[in-house]
Amino acid sequence: MKFGGIGLVALAIALVLAVPASAADLLSQTVSAASAVDKSCTSGERSGAGVARRSFTMPAGGEVTARLTAASGDWDLAIVDPSDHRMVAGSAYSGASEVASGFAAVGNNLVVQACRRSGGSSTASLSLESIPIDASKAPTASLVRVATANLDRKNELQGLGLDLTEHGGAGFVEAVLYGPVDAQKLVDNNFAYTTEVPDLSVQSRQDRAADAQFAAANATSDFPSGRTTYRRLFDYSEDMKALVRDNPDLVRPITLNNKSYEGRTVEGIEIATNPSARDGRPVFLQLGVHHAREWPSGEHAMEWAYELVNGYRSGDARVRDLVSRTRTIVVPIVNPDGFNASREAGELYGNGGGHATDLNGDGEVDDVEFIAAASTHINEYRRKNCRFPFGPPAGNCMAQPDQGVVGGGVDPNRNYGAFWGGNGSSDTYVEQDYRGPGPFSEPESQNIRELASGRQITTLITNHTFSGLVLRPPGVAAQGTTVDEPIYKALGDSMAAENGYSSQYGYQLYDTTGTTEDWSYNATGGLGFTYEIGHLGFHPPFEVTVQEWEGTTDYATGGGNRAAYYKAQENTADGTKHSVLAGQALNGYVLRLTKTFDTPTSQDGLTVTDHLDSSMVVNDKKGAFEWHVNPSTRPLVAKSSGRDPTGDPSPPQQFESRGGTTPCADYDTPPPDCYEDHLIAVPSGAGIDNAKATFRIEFSPVSDWDMKIYKADAAGNATGEAVAVSGHGATDGNLGFEEASVLDPAGSYVVRVQNYAAVDPWTGTVTFEGPSPYQAPQQEAYTLSCETPQGVVKSARQVFVARGERLALELRKDCRR
Ligand SMILES: [Zn+2]
């Protein structure tokens, strides 16, 4: 099968053309506010001593960004349209480093307001710029359902560089097509598809109109927060700030280490009784919005924080128990740049605004407005982050319409280190699953890596949309099931029993590498899951997202994601699902667990060095401590591999085409004149040990042959499902080839070579290999050091602790009473 037909030259030209006109600097000055204003800056127009206001007029339709920095305290920022009270953009981080970006039409008279919320800084520097958007070539985006008869066809589809959704199932994957070029790729590669949504912008308008009706009809929703509309980026900040302010005994703010490309802070909150203590409770991590357009994933992560806080305040026994025995970290928006671009584009369609066709509120639909709406619509379906190595410069993500295959950025959920660079990720900048220039090259994945390396996170959910899935490793079938499969599956199944989703391996959707839990599970041992929330799209009507939470969808079989998250939180608390260290040490001393190791990627010779470093402070008059930790041995080495050989591998066998086939009209049930079957017997007997058979056909790169391997029946005919398939049309220099392996081959096999689009013959070889040397399951240790409250290391020792084990530790004298 061929990869996508667009050459690199064409892509490079498209990229140059995609660079927008240069930015207009509208304002750059120091502003001051004599006193603090105790009112949100992002919920309306503000005035008075705590607010600095500046008016400006949009020189062209497009993107507008305000930035503010102050020396200290909390400042917030907003751009408002006084004529219709539209909140054009906002930024409400807990500090004084703000970035507010939105869209506005030419001639809009706007006000930027800087609000001093608290702290001693009475001045701040404020700048404002606008970038015009020429969206005259923005294509129509449509959602299609592509037939994929088997896993291999799914992976071939993955290779076409289309914008695949996470929505797939038995026999299909859904994809977003950006115009006829994308549709032609499906046709050229014999993929049948049906169109589900011909124009996603029409769908968006309908969905947002439904949201406006829902919000008008309901003062509150069944979400714990009661919200009735999708949050914008600044709403998340406002909500987290309010939770911290109103619940200092229960919630503390977290700022992740790395800012986004556009200079945004990435924030979260930690929820526990005594939230700031460094104790030994296990941690549950809730993540949302790695992918920009997946708005419900941030909503559900954020609502889990409200569920815990509200439940605790109302005296709910289950919540009180969990909040006292665990810690919960919520990072609702991992990718704030991408989310802001997507969410602000979607905002133009409504929540009742009707701005899609009338951006300046003049009551008319004119061309400029329509074009701006069409452009921002494309950004609404942005998936990736806002890395633009070829321009435009930082701050301009929203000014670059994300036009399918020419959309820039890195997929943060293909950028994690473990297995980075393998199947199900692209090395090409413009593709939707572009993995980035190197493992952990992106601030988004690096933030989560650093967070998870410094804490004992025993359970993790990374939320996405959509497909109704609870996914667990492995992301690639060849990795084999994990050493923790029984408890992993049991937890996945029990969560799926609540939300009605399908509990399955990651690769059953399609191959992926470099994902969050690829790394988090294999490096830390904490159980990580991907949720693909819902079935109705990346951000369906808000009411549906509430139903997913409550379990009132048609397919929910229990209490929805709310109930599923309780299962995850209870697993977090359950010491039999991770490990526990217990003992006595001097009160006030610090215990520290460290571990350094190399994590493999999918690229030969490339590894990333991981360093885990977590600590707790002993806080007990008698020095008793209990520390919930992940097992000391990584899952990757806890399993045995290989075996001792019982003989030698057999010599290679050759086979070759007989000629006379014609290209297959139907790939999945091919007519007999389009393929050849070749019978291969695997030698066996005394002195022979064939642990692996590798089938390979080679041909000139102008031809495209595909290969399937079947078990042979007694008559020498193919039987059952294919045991191995290769259909990628890979080339190695001037050679086309297909290659597939069978582990522990026995008996006879039929090699079926299908004529996909071939003009000349092929030659085939089967080679045999003996087993790889036996690798016993390994045990790895943490280094446990004991430090004085001032950080002086008194002693260090190795600690081995297995999953489910509660280990009583006898510490050295200088560390215990
Ligand atoms: Zn996603």
Side-chain angles (χ1 to χ4, degrees):
M1 201 86 19
K2 300 285 187 289
F3 287 96
I6 296 182
L8 282 175
V9 173
L11 286 175
I13 291 168
L15 284 169
V16 169
L17 293 176
V19 174
S22 58
D25 290 324
L26 301 176
L27 189 153
S28 179
Q29 58 184 236
T30 299
V31 297
S32 61
S35 60
V37 57
D38 186 24
K39 206 166 183 189
S40 158
C41 198
T42 61
S43 58
E45 286 169 73
R46 299 283 171 256
S47 58
V51 183
R53 290 165 55 94
R54 298 289 183 275
S55 298
F56 66 99
T57 301
M58 283 293 285
E63 177 265 1
V64 57
T65 296
R67 294 172 182 274
L68 176 143
T69 53
S72 64
D74 180 15
W75 283 70
D76 291 341
L77 190 59
I79 300 172
V80 293
D81 185 340
S83 72
D84 61 359
H85 311 293
R86 182 166 82 95
M87 187 61 55
V88 175
S91 178
Y93 289 116
S94 56
S97 173
E98 306 294 335
V99 183
S101 303
F103 297 102
V106 61
N108 278 179
N109 294 308
L110 305 177
V111 169
V112 55
Q113 59 186 24
C115 308
R116 180 181 167 195
R117 301 292 308 278
S118 64
S121 281
S122 61
T123 60
S125 48
L126 174 67
S127 66
L128 191 64
E129 68 169 21
S130 166
I131 300 170
I133 295 174
D134 174 9
S136 54
K137 294 190 177 64
T140 300
S142 59
L143 185 70
V144 299
R145 175 174 287 213
V146 185
T148 51
N150 52 45
L151 211 51
D152 195 74
R153 282 290 271 172
K154 282 186 184 177
N155 291 331
E156 284 167 22
L157 179 64
Q158 179 90 354
L160 295 183
L162 296 173
D163 183 6
L164 299 191
T165 73
E166 278 91 357
H167 194 216
F172 74 94
V173 173
E174 290 189 350
V176 178
L177 303 185
Y178 300 89
V181 172
D182 281 0
Q184 192 60 41
K185 279 191 190 177
L186 291 177
V187 173
D188 288 348
N189 289 280
N190 279 11
F191 280 102
Y193 70 93
T194 53
T195 300
E196 303 275 297
V197 182
D199 182 346
L200 282 167
S201 70
V202 173
Q203 168 105 41
S204 293
R205 282 177 217 196
Q206 289 169 350
D207 288 353
R208 301 292 81 79
D211 287 356
Q213 284 179 359
F214 180 77
N218 298 278
T220 61
S221 72
D222 287 337
F223 268 158
S225 73
R227 270 197 78 90
T228 56
T229 56
Y230 281 114
R231 291 172 172 89
R232 296 162 79 178
L233 183 58
F234 52 82
D235 292 321
Y236 282 98
S237 300
E238 297 275 16
D239 283 351
M240 287 193 278
K241 212 147 64 171
L243 283 170
V244 169
R245 184 190 61 224
D246 298 342
N247 304 277
D249 58 332
L250 209 56
V251 186
R252 78 177 186 101
I254 288 182
T255 301
L256 282 82
N257 293 344
N258 305 282
K259 284 193 174 180
S260 69
Y261 284 111
E262 296 186 353
R264 289 191 172 84
T265 306
V266 183
E267 356 171 78
I269 47 178
E270 179 162 1
I271 301 155
T273 52
N274 199 359
S276 296
R278 283 166 69 192
D279 52 32
R281 283 181 276 173
V283 181
F284 177 34
L285 179 59
Q286 274 272 29
L287 301 173
V289 189
H290 273 77
H291 292 142
R293 60 197 173 190
E294 299 173 3
W295 309 349
S297 68
E299 295 290 334
H300 281 203
M302 191 69 222
E303 290 299 330
W304 185 244
Y306 280 91
E307 177 76 17
L308 295 179
V309 171
N310 292 356
Y312 188 87
R313 290 284 168 242
S314 68
D316 182 289
R318 189 183 189 189
V319 172
R320 287 215 156 216
D321 174 57
L322 286 170
V323 169
S324 64
R325 288 197 292 141
T326 62
R327 297 178 160 275
T328 302
I329 298 176
V330 177
V331 182
I333 307 291
V334 172
N335 171 11
D337 293 349
F339 174 70
N340 190 67
S342 168
R343 183 67 189 82
E344 291 308 312
E347 184 68 10
L348 292 172
Y349 288 93
N351 290 335
H355 294 287
T357 52
D358 185 13
L359 272 171
N360 59 8
D362 62 2
E364 290 178 10
V365 178
D366 61 48
D367 285 347
V368 173
E369 289 167 354
F370 180 76
I371 288 168
S375 160
T376 56
H377 162 67
I378 301 303
N379 241 324
E380 186 187 338
Y381 285 91
R382 157 169 285 283
R383 167 182 167 95
K384 299 187 285 181
N385 74 0
C386 294
R387 178 194 185 96
F388 292 121
F390 310 128
N396 298 357
C397 186
M398 297 167 75
Q400 170 150 327
D402 189 9
Q403 299 177 3
V405 294
V406 295
V410 174
D411 182 342
N413 201 36
R414 300 291 183 274
N415 187 247
Y416 287 82
F419 307 120
W420 179 89
N423 288 3
S425 74
S426 170
D427 63 356
T428 303
Y429 166 70
V430 293
E431 291 189 356
Q432 289 297 318
D433 58 354
Y434 175 48
R435 61 198 178 217
F440 291 119
S441 58
E442 304 308 293
E444 293 83 9
S445 57
Q446 187 63 23
N447 273 333
I448 303 307
R449 177 198 202 184
E450 289 168 7
L451 177 66
S453 296
R455 306 296 298 268
Q456 292 289 345
I457 294 166
T458 62
T459 311
L460 174 159
I461 293 176
T462 176
N463 292 283
H464 290 251
T465 59
F466 61 105
S467 211
L469 296 171
V470 174
L471 299 175
R472 66 182 185 279
V476 172
Q479 290 164 8
T481 54
T482 69
V483 70
D484 296 308
E485 171 65 7
I487 60 164
Y488 229 136
K489 180 179 191 307
L491 177 56
D493 289 357
S494 83
M495 296 191 293
E498 300 291 352
N499 52 28
Y501 300 168
S502 172
S503 168
Q504 62 182 53
Y505 303 116
Y507 70 79
Q508 288 175 286
L509 177 58
Y510 43 68
D511 277 0
T512 56
T513 49
T515 65
T516 307
E517 70 270 25
D518 264 348
W519 175 81
S520 67
Y521 170 66
N522 286 303
T524 73
L527 301 182
F529 293 86
T530 290
Y531 273 31
E532 296 288 355
I533 298 170
H535 289 276
L536 276 180
F538 295 113
H539 41 267
F542 185 80
E543 186 177 9
V544 175
T545 297
V546 178
Q547 291 166 351
E548 293 287 347
W549 170 267
E550 274 291 286
T552 52
T553 57
D554 291 346
Y555 42 83
T557 42
N561 278 341
R562 173 181 179 273
Y565 291 160
Y566 272 105
K567 298 275 180 72
Q569 187 102 34
E570 278 160 356
N571 185 77
T572 305
D574 183 352
T576 69
K577 301 298 193 301
H578 47 267
S579 312
V580 180
L581 305 177
Q584 277 200 319
L586 285 167
N587 194 18
Y589 271 44
V590 176
L591 302 178
R592 183 178 300 279
L593 285 176
T594 56
K595 199 174 166 207
T596 302
F597 49 88
D598 286 338
T599 295
T601 71
S602 293
Q603 307 261 310
D604 274 347
L606 179 65
T607 59
V608 294
T609 299
D610 275 303
H611 179 64
L612 307 183
D613 182 344
S614 59
S615 61
M616 69 163 288
V617 179
V618 179
N619 183 16
D620 182 82
K621 280 185 194 139
K622 292 182 176 169
F625 70 85
E626 183 182 74
W627 193 359
H628 288 254
V629 300
N630 284 312
S632 60
T633 302
R634 283 174 297 143
L636 274 181
V637 299
K639 260 197 330 188
S640 70
S641 64
R643 59 180 169 77
D644 293 327
T646 58
D648 295 322
S650 301
Q653 300 178 24
Q654 318 290 335
F655 54 107
E656 62 184 32
S657 61
R658 295 183 284 261
T661 60
T662 57
C664 293
D666 181 338
Y667 179 87
D668 297 310
T669 48
D673 64 345
C674 78
Y675 63 85
E676 299 177 22
D677 281 352
H678 292 257
L679 189 65
I680 303 287
V682 178
S684 61
I688 297 174
D689 187 351
N690 292 319
K692 183 178 177 185
T694 299
F695 302 84
R696 181 180 169 98
I697 58 170
E698 297 182 351
F699 40 86
S700 83
V702 298
S703 282
D704 191 353
W705 296 94
D706 292 340
M707 182 179 72
K708 297 179 180 178
I709 314 297
Y710 295 84
K711 284 291 287 184
D713 63 15
N717 296 317
T719 181
E721 293 282 302
V723 294
V725 181
S726 180
H728 289 272
T731 57
D732 189 355
N734 291 319
L735 197 65
F737 72 92
E738 302 291 350
E739 187 174 287
S741 297
V742 175
L743 296 179
D744 295 317
S748 293
Y749 291 85
V750 169
V751 181
R752 175 167 296 175
V753 182
Q754 285 186 207
N755 185 337
Y756 189 77
V759 295
D760 47 16
W762 52 267
T763 59
T765 313
V766 53
T767 52
F768 298 97
E769 290 170 59
S772 59
Y774 176 69
Q775 282 266 6
Q778 292 174 48
Q779 275 204 322
E780 291 181 331
Y782 284 119
T783 298
L784 173 68
S785 58
C786 180
E787 304 170 4
T788 68
Q790 291 73 35
V792 178
V793 177
K794 302 296 284 186
S795 63
R797 56 176 285 191
Q798 302 290 96
V799 170
F800 293 90
V801 62
R803 195 177 294 278
E805 184 181 7
R806 183 186 173 89
L807 183 64
L809 283 176
E810 176 100 0
L811 295 176
R812 272 180 36 176
K813 269 194 188 131
D814 52 10
C815 192
R816 66 180 150 87
R817 292 153 58 91

